[in-house]
Amino acid sequence: RVEDAGTGRVDFLHHKDGRVVFSTCAEERQHLIFQLGTRDSAVAVQAAMQVCQEARGIDINMGCPEPFLVGGGMGSALLDDPVAAADVLRTLRRELPQGCALSCKIR
């Protein structure tokens, strides 16, 4: 997380190569819902905690049929694994600040 004090922009950088993977600013905070693709509750919490102060809420992708996501048990594959889906959502709700909304996208 890198904040540019001059512009107010916040960049999140890839941990390996330093490229910008997400940018936002204060004006977006109350409107931004950040979507995660995950099937691992611990990883979901770690990622969500990185961005929750910059977003109104976190959305878990449970609808995307893309092979990249489904092959990793994410996206629409979570609909076939309700135990994993419930674990992700329950863990996030327990760990996220109360003011951070939590939703899931289902197609």
Side-chain angles (χ1 to χ4, degrees):
R1 182 182 185 278
V2 177
E3 187 168 351
D4 182 326
T7 64
R9 188 177 83 187
V10 176
D11 292 334
F12 289 85
L13 308 178
H14 192 278
H15 69 281
K16 290 183 180 175
D17 62 18
R19 66 187 157 88
V20 175
V21 295
F22 173 64
S23 290
T24 190
C25 62
E27 291 83 6
E28 294 180 329
R29 240 175 236 132
Q30 291 305 309
H31 308 285
L32 178 68
I33 303 296
F34 189 87
Q35 188 178 78
L36 291 175
T38 187
R39 73 165 285 106
D40 182 311
S41 60
V43 172
V45 167
Q46 189 176 37
M49 294 301 275
Q50 293 289 315
V51 298
C52 72
Q53 69 183 19
E54 307 299 338
R56 183 174 179 194
I58 302 295
D59 179 75
I60 300 303
N61 181 334
M62 293 186 186
C64 186
E66 285 295 319
F68 168 77
L69 291 170
V70 174
M74 301 176 279
S76 61
L78 279 173
L79 298 177
D80 294 327
D81 190 351
V83 173
D87 180 51
V88 167
L89 294 172
R90 285 185 183 124
T91 302
L92 280 167
R93 183 65 285 155
R94 183 177 62 245
E95 299 297 327
L96 286 173
Q98 288 301 309
C100 185
L102 177 63
S103 61
C104 60
K105 178 187 86 175
I106 299 173
R107 292 184 186 179

